[in-house]
Amino acid sequence: MQISRSVMSGTKIAAVLAAGALALTACGGSSTPAASDSGLKLINAGKLTVCSDIPYEPFEFQKDGKNVGFDMDIAAEVAKDAKAELNVVDSSFEAIETGTALTGCDVSISSISITDVRKSVMDFSSPYMDDDLTLVASSSSGISNIDGAKGKKVGVQQATTGAQYAKDKGIDAQQFEDSGLLVQALKAGTIDAAIGNQSVLAYAIKDESNIKRVEDYATGEKLGISIKKGNTAMADAVNATLKRITDDGTLKKFETTWFGEAAK
């Protein structure tokens, strides 16, 4: 959600490599993408392969053995329009935000902030959500603004816009591999505060009486779906789905389900 999220763990390296292997074995060993029933060329025949960094609640996380969340609902709609089965690959956000993940996935849907740096290595869909940054802190920390966070134990997720924002403001923040670990540390009191996207952190602390949202930062971040550079057919298909679910109210329904008023 982000310059954005993590150093690649061994498990997630394996996932990306496995996705790449599937891509090479699709269509009888050919690396040529296979067409879906919709005519869209996919890496794996009959499947829309989506890279996502899990967990990142409420965008993507596992519940009862299934991948769920705001982004997962959107991914399912894209797959439906592509007349393909949804196949989610758990990747590191580092691989996603550098475009590496797209060697083994048709698209990446993982709360990805659209930035000029990222647009140099991948294409993006139309934005589907605005998502600025926020600072949240424990009530006992005494932190009321960004200056008050200096010298305190502040956490960020690695490779995110939150991490970059903290660095730009002169904060030596502790970096966490994923948002789940960041939120755990915040709730456990091993860090005093966290900087990250409003949607994720506001959702994480909504039931925490001793953690408050102290300051928001209007960074103008917009989230998009990343697509391999030059794949205009995929970009057109993804944008058509986003337009459909925006026009018919489905996207708004997803927002209400996963965020309520927490991210407002």
Side-chain angles (χ1 to χ4, degrees):
M1 139 203 243
Q2 288 108 327
I3 286 177
S4 220
R5 297 185 302 202
S6 63
V7 169
M8 192 181 292
S9 67
T11 300
K12 292 190 176 182
I13 287 175
V16 173
L17 291 177
L22 285 171
L24 292 174
T25 56
C27 301
S30 170
S31 60
T32 303
S36 71
D37 290 343
S38 67
L40 197 63
K41 291 184 178 179
L42 303 174
I43 287 175
N44 300 310
K47 296 181 178 180
L48 178 75
T49 305
V50 175
C51 272
S52 191
D53 179 21
I54 302 169
Y56 196 67
E57 296 186 44
F59 287 93
E60 45 265 341
F61 60 103
Q62 284 207 333
K63 183 177 181 181
D64 299 327
K66 296 181 179 180
N67 294 315
V68 300
F70 181 63
D71 281 342
M72 294 297 95
D73 283 348
I74 293 174
E77 293 296 319
V78 176
K80 181 174 73 174
D81 286 351
K83 296 180 174 60
E85 177 187 348
L86 177 60
N87 176 39
V88 178
V89 174
D90 185 8
S91 175
S92 77
F93 200 82
E94 183 181 51
I96 290 171
E97 69 108 9
T98 59
T100 307
L102 292 172
T103 60
C105 290
D106 297 299
V107 297
S108 291
I109 307 179
S110 194
S111 181
I112 312 167
S113 294
I114 301 170
T115 68
D116 289 339
V117 171
R118 291 174 184 168
K119 286 195 290 185
S120 70
V121 294
M122 67 189 84
D123 290 336
F124 278 97
S125 69
S126 302
Y128 64 86
M129 187 176 188
D130 296 333
D131 199 13
D132 289 329
L133 297 177
T134 191
L135 169 67
V136 299
S138 65
S139 301
S140 60
S141 68
I143 297 172
S144 59
N145 54 42
I146 196 73
D147 289 333
K150 294 177 181 177
K152 301 283 189 176
K153 294 179 181 178
V154 179
V156 295
Q157 186 178 350
Q158 289 175 347
T160 63
T161 46
Q164 185 63 47
Y165 190 85
K167 182 179 179 181
D168 291 345
K169 295 298 181 179
I171 295 173
D172 184 16
Q174 181 177 347
Q175 304 209 10
F176 292 83
E177 183 178 358
D178 61 48
S179 68
L181 295 174
L182 172 63
V183 170
Q184 285 176 22
L186 182 65
K187 291 181 178 180
T190 56
I191 57 175
D192 300 310
I195 298 174
N197 287 93
Q198 293 177 12
S199 57
V200 172
L201 290 182
Y203 177 87
I205 68 168
K206 61 186 174 64
D207 298 321
E208 302 294 322
S209 59
N210 63 329
I211 302 172
K212 58 185 179 179
R213 184 170 163 180
V214 297
E215 196 169 52
D216 295 333
Y217 312 111
T219 54
E221 291 186 46
K222 295 180 182 294
L223 307 183
I225 296 169
S226 69
I227 302 152
K228 192 171 183 179
K229 201 78 174 166
N231 191 344
T232 55
M234 182 63 71
D236 289 346
V238 169
N239 282 334
T241 295
L242 291 177
K243 184 178 188 305
R244 174 181 66 78
I245 64 176
T246 298
D247 291 348
D248 68 13
T250 299
L251 185 62
K252 187 64 178 177
K253 182 179 71 175
F254 292 162
E255 289 177 357
T256 301
T257 297
W258 294 109
F259 301 103
E261 295 301 313
K264 301 295 187 278

PDB file of all heavy atoms in Angstrom, residues 191-211:
ATOM      1  N   ILE A 191       7.235  -1.247  19.976  1.00  0.00           N
ATOM      2  CA  ILE A 191       7.482   0.036  19.318  1.00  0.00           C
ATOM      3  C   ILE A 191       6.436   1.029  19.816  1.00  0.00           C
ATOM      4  O   ILE A 191       5.367   0.636  20.284  1.00  0.00           O
ATOM      5  CB  ILE A 191       7.435  -0.063  17.769  1.00  0.00           C
ATOM      6  CG1 ILE A 191       6.087  -0.620  17.286  1.00  0.00           C
ATOM      7  CG2 ILE A 191       8.597  -0.891  17.238  1.00  0.00           C
ATOM      8  CD1 ILE A 191       5.931  -0.626  15.764  1.00  0.00           C
ATOM      9  N   ASP A 192       6.781   2.315  19.746  1.00  0.00           N
ATOM     10  CA  ASP A 192       5.870   3.358  20.233  1.00  0.00           C
ATOM     11  C   ASP A 192       4.862   3.804  19.189  1.00  0.00           C
ATOM     12  O   ASP A 192       3.763   4.267  19.533  1.00  0.00           O
ATOM     13  CB  ASP A 192       6.682   4.589  20.671  1.00  0.00           C
ATOM     14  CG  ASP A 192       7.665   4.275  21.773  1.00  0.00           C
ATOM     15  OD1 ASP A 192       7.249   3.657  22.766  1.00  0.00           O
ATOM     16  OD2 ASP A 192       8.855   4.642  21.635  1.00  0.00           O
ATOM     17  N   ALA A 193       5.259   3.699  17.914  1.00  0.00           N
ATOM     18  CA  ALA A 193       4.430   4.264  16.852  1.00  0.00           C
ATOM     19  C   ALA A 193       4.725   3.561  15.537  1.00  0.00           C
ATOM     20  O   ALA A 193       5.714   2.818  15.410  1.00  0.00           O
ATOM     21  CB  ALA A 193       4.703   5.758  16.721  1.00  0.00           C
ATOM     22  N   ALA A 194       3.869   3.819  14.560  1.00  0.00           N
ATOM     23  CA  ALA A 194       4.063   3.264  13.222  1.00  0.00           C
ATOM     24  C   ALA A 194       3.623   4.284  12.180  1.00  0.00           C
ATOM     25  O   ALA A 194       2.687   5.060  12.408  1.00  0.00           O
ATOM     26  CB  ALA A 194       3.285   1.969  13.052  1.00  0.00           C
ATOM     27  N   ILE A 195       4.315   4.290  11.060  1.00  0.00           N
ATOM     28  CA  ILE A 195       3.945   5.132   9.919  1.00  0.00           C
ATOM     29  C   ILE A 195       3.627   4.215   8.752  1.00  0.00           C
ATOM     30  O   ILE A 195       4.399   3.313   8.421  1.00  0.00           O
ATOM     31  CB  ILE A 195       5.082   6.098   9.534  1.00  0.00           C
ATOM     32  CG1 ILE A 195       5.396   7.046  10.685  1.00  0.00           C
ATOM     33  CG2 ILE A 195       4.706   6.893   8.275  1.00  0.00           C
ATOM     34  CD1 ILE A 195       6.603   7.948  10.438  1.00  0.00           C
ATOM     35  N   GLY A 196       2.465   4.435   8.136  1.00  0.00           N
ATOM     36  CA  GLY A 196       2.073   3.609   7.001  1.00  0.00           C
ATOM     37  C   GLY A 196       0.802   4.132   6.382  1.00  0.00           C
ATOM     38  O   GLY A 196       0.316   5.214   6.732  1.00  0.00           O
ATOM     39  N   ASN A 197       0.242   3.358   5.486  1.00  0.00           N
ATOM     40  CA  ASN A 197      -0.970   3.786   4.797  1.00  0.00           C
ATOM     41  C   ASN A 197      -2.172   3.814   5.732  1.00  0.00           C
ATOM     42  O   ASN A 197      -2.338   2.963   6.593  1.00  0.00           O
ATOM     43  CB  ASN A 197      -1.246   2.899   3.591  1.00  0.00           C
ATOM     44  CG  ASN A 197      -0.280   3.194   2.460  1.00  0.00           C
ATOM     45  OD1 ASN A 197       0.748   2.554   2.364  1.00  0.00           O
ATOM     46  ND2 ASN A 197      -0.601   4.164   1.634  1.00  0.00           N
ATOM     47  N   GLN A 198      -3.002   4.833   5.545  1.00  0.00           N
ATOM     48  CA  GLN A 198      -4.152   5.051   6.418  1.00  0.00           C
ATOM     49  C   GLN A 198      -5.084   3.846   6.446  1.00  0.00           C
ATOM     50  O   GLN A 198      -5.576   3.451   7.511  1.00  0.00           O
ATOM     51  CB  GLN A 198      -4.921   6.290   5.960  1.00  0.00           C
ATOM     52  CG  GLN A 198      -4.161   7.594   6.136  1.00  0.00           C
ATOM     53  CD  GLN A 198      -4.920   8.794   5.595  1.00  0.00           C
ATOM     54  OE1 GLN A 198      -6.103   8.705   5.280  1.00  0.00           O
ATOM     55  NE2 GLN A 198      -4.243   9.918   5.472  1.00  0.00           N
ATOM     56  N   SER A 199      -5.334   3.255   5.286  1.00  0.00           N
ATOM     57  CA  SER A 199      -6.291   2.153   5.216  1.00  0.00           C
ATOM     58  C   SER A 199      -5.866   0.996   6.111  1.00  0.00           C
ATOM     59  O   SER A 199      -6.674   0.446   6.862  1.00  0.00           O
ATOM     60  CB  SER A 199      -6.425   1.669   3.770  1.00  0.00           C
ATOM     61  OG  SER A 199      -5.148   1.291   3.268  1.00  0.00           O
ATOM     62  N   VAL A 200      -4.596   0.639   6.057  1.00  0.00           N
ATOM     63  CA  VAL A 200      -4.105  -0.518   6.809  1.00  0.00           C
ATOM     64  C   VAL A 200      -3.986  -0.224   8.294  1.00  0.00           C
ATOM     65  O   VAL A 200      -4.469  -0.984   9.138  1.00  0.00           O
ATOM     66  CB  VAL A 200      -2.750  -0.984   6.239  1.00  0.00           C
ATOM     67  CG1 VAL A 200      -2.124  -2.052   7.132  1.00  0.00           C
ATOM     68  CG2 VAL A 200      -2.938  -1.512   4.832  1.00  0.00           C
ATOM     69  N   LEU A 201      -3.347   0.897   8.656  1.00  0.00           N
ATOM     70  CA  LEU A 201      -3.125   1.184  10.073  1.00  0.00           C
ATOM     71  C   LEU A 201      -4.425   1.575  10.783  1.00  0.00           C
ATOM     72  O   LEU A 201      -4.639   1.212  11.941  1.00  0.00           O
ATOM     73  CB  LEU A 201      -2.057   2.266  10.242  1.00  0.00           C
ATOM     74  CG  LEU A 201      -0.634   1.821   9.868  1.00  0.00           C
ATOM     75  CD1 LEU A 201       0.359   2.948  10.106  1.00  0.00           C
ATOM     76  CD2 LEU A 201      -0.220   0.579  10.656  1.00  0.00           C
ATOM     77  N   ALA A 202      -5.289   2.314  10.110  1.00  0.00           N
ATOM     78  CA  ALA A 202      -6.574   2.664  10.730  1.00  0.00           C
ATOM     79  C   ALA A 202      -7.391   1.406  10.997  1.00  0.00           C
ATOM     80  O   ALA A 202      -8.030   1.269  12.044  1.00  0.00           O
ATOM     81  CB  ALA A 202      -7.349   3.626   9.840  1.00  0.00           C
ATOM     82  N   TYR A 203      -7.356   0.480  10.069  1.00  0.00           N
ATOM     83  CA  TYR A 203      -8.056  -0.804  10.243  1.00  0.00           C
ATOM     84  C   TYR A 203      -7.449  -1.589  11.404  1.00  0.00           C
ATOM     85  O   TYR A 203      -8.165  -2.167  12.229  1.00  0.00           O
ATOM     86  CB  TYR A 203      -7.962  -1.605   8.945  1.00  0.00           C
ATOM     87  CG  TYR A 203      -8.582  -2.977   8.998  1.00  0.00           C
ATOM     88  CD1 TYR A 203      -9.932  -3.166   8.727  1.00  0.00           C
ATOM     89  CD2 TYR A 203      -7.811  -4.093   9.314  1.00  0.00           C
ATOM     90  CE1 TYR A 203     -10.503  -4.434   8.763  1.00  0.00           C
ATOM     91  CE2 TYR A 203      -8.370  -5.368   9.357  1.00  0.00           C
ATOM     92  CZ  TYR A 203      -9.716  -5.531   9.077  1.00  0.00           C
ATOM     93  OH  TYR A 203     -10.274  -6.781   9.114  1.00  0.00           O
ATOM     94  N   ALA A 204      -6.120  -1.581  11.488  1.00  0.00           N
ATOM     95  CA  ALA A 204      -5.427  -2.384  12.503  1.00  0.00           C
ATOM     96  C   ALA A 204      -5.706  -1.916  13.926  1.00  0.00           C
ATOM     97  O   ALA A 204      -5.742  -2.727  14.852  1.00  0.00           O
ATOM     98  CB  ALA A 204      -3.924  -2.364  12.233  1.00  0.00           C
ATOM     99  N   ILE A 205      -5.911  -0.602  14.108  1.00  0.00           N
ATOM    100  CA  ILE A 205      -6.046  -0.075  15.477  1.00  0.00           C
ATOM    101  C   ILE A 205      -7.493   0.262  15.846  1.00  0.00           C
ATOM    102  O   ILE A 205      -7.740   0.830  16.914  1.00  0.00           O
ATOM    103  CB  ILE A 205      -5.161   1.167  15.687  1.00  0.00           C
ATOM    104  CG1 ILE A 205      -5.672   2.350  14.851  1.00  0.00           C
ATOM    105  CG2 ILE A 205      -3.711   0.845  15.373  1.00  0.00           C
ATOM    106  CD1 ILE A 205      -5.031   3.686  15.217  1.00  0.00           C
ATOM    107  N   LYS A 206      -8.438  -0.068  14.990  1.00  0.00           N
ATOM    108  CA  LYS A 206      -9.820   0.383  15.214  1.00  0.00           C
ATOM    109  C   LYS A 206     -10.415  -0.111  16.538  1.00  0.00           C
ATOM    110  O   LYS A 206     -11.304   0.530  17.091  1.00  0.00           O
ATOM    111  CB  LYS A 206     -10.722  -0.009  14.047  1.00  0.00           C
ATOM    112  CG  LYS A 206     -10.842  -1.494  13.773  1.00  0.00           C
ATOM    113  CD  LYS A 206     -11.658  -1.756  12.501  1.00  0.00           C
ATOM    114  CE  LYS A 206     -11.682  -3.205  12.120  1.00  0.00           C
ATOM    115  NZ  LYS A 206     -12.348  -4.076  13.095  1.00  0.00           N
ATOM    116  N   ASP A 207      -9.900  -1.221  17.062  1.00  0.00           N
ATOM    117  CA  ASP A 207     -10.419  -1.743  18.325  1.00  0.00           C
ATOM    118  C   ASP A 207      -9.413  -1.602  19.469  1.00  0.00           C
ATOM    119  O   ASP A 207      -9.580  -2.213  20.533  1.00  0.00           O
ATOM    120  CB  ASP A 207     -10.797  -3.223  18.166  1.00  0.00           C
ATOM    121  CG  ASP A 207     -11.901  -3.434  17.141  1.00  0.00           C
ATOM    122  OD1 ASP A 207     -12.833  -2.597  17.107  1.00  0.00           O
ATOM    123  OD2 ASP A 207     -11.832  -4.406  16.374  1.00  0.00           O
ATOM    124  N   GLU A 208      -8.368  -0.791  19.250  1.00  0.00           N
ATOM    125  CA  GLU A 208      -7.313  -0.617  20.254  1.00  0.00           C
ATOM    126  C   GLU A 208      -7.494   0.722  20.972  1.00  0.00           C
ATOM    127  O   GLU A 208      -7.206   1.780  20.405  1.00  0.00           O
ATOM    128  CB  GLU A 208      -5.934  -0.687  19.593  1.00  0.00           C
ATOM    129  CG  GLU A 208      -5.658  -1.973  18.840  1.00  0.00           C
ATOM    130  CD  GLU A 208      -5.592  -3.177  19.759  1.00  0.00           C
ATOM    131  OE1 GLU A 208      -5.060  -3.053  20.879  1.00  0.00           O
ATOM    132  OE2 GLU A 208      -6.086  -4.250  19.347  1.00  0.00           O
ATOM    133  N   SER A 209      -7.935   0.691  22.207  1.00  0.00           N
ATOM    134  CA  SER A 209      -8.201   1.935  22.938  1.00  0.00           C
ATOM    135  C   SER A 209      -6.928   2.676  23.336  1.00  0.00           C
ATOM    136  O   SER A 209      -6.964   3.881  23.574  1.00  0.00           O
ATOM    137  CB  SER A 209      -9.020   1.631  24.198  1.00  0.00           C
ATOM    138  OG  SER A 209      -8.323   0.733  25.044  1.00  0.00           O
ATOM    139  N   ASN A 210      -5.800   1.965  23.380  1.00  0.00           N
ATOM    140  CA  ASN A 210      -4.555   2.603  23.822  1.00  0.00           C
ATOM    141  C   ASN A 210      -3.639   3.021  22.677  1.00  0.00           C
ATOM    142  O   ASN A 210      -2.506   3.425  22.878  1.00  0.00           O
ATOM    143  CB  ASN A 210      -3.785   1.658  24.756  1.00  0.00           C
ATOM    144  CG  ASN A 210      -3.354   0.379  24.051  1.00  0.00           C
ATOM    145  OD1 ASN A 210      -4.043  -0.090  23.133  1.00  0.00           O
ATOM    146  ND2 ASN A 210      -2.234  -0.183  24.466  1.00  0.00           N
ATOM    147  N   ILE A 211      -4.140   2.910  21.436  1.00  0.00           N
ATOM    148  CA  ILE A 211      -3.375   3.350  20.267  1.00  0.00           C
ATOM    149  C   ILE A 211      -4.242   4.320  19.482  1.00  0.00           C
ATOM    150  O   ILE A 211      -5.411   4.048  19.204  1.00  0.00           O
ATOM    151  CB  ILE A 211      -2.971   2.167  19.369  1.00  0.00           C
ATOM    152  CG1 ILE A 211      -2.151   1.142  20.164  1.00  0.00           C
ATOM    153  CG2 ILE A 211      -2.154   2.653  18.180  1.00  0.00           C
ATOM    154  CD1 ILE A 211      -1.868  -0.139  19.404  1.00  0.00           C
TER     155      ILE A 211
END
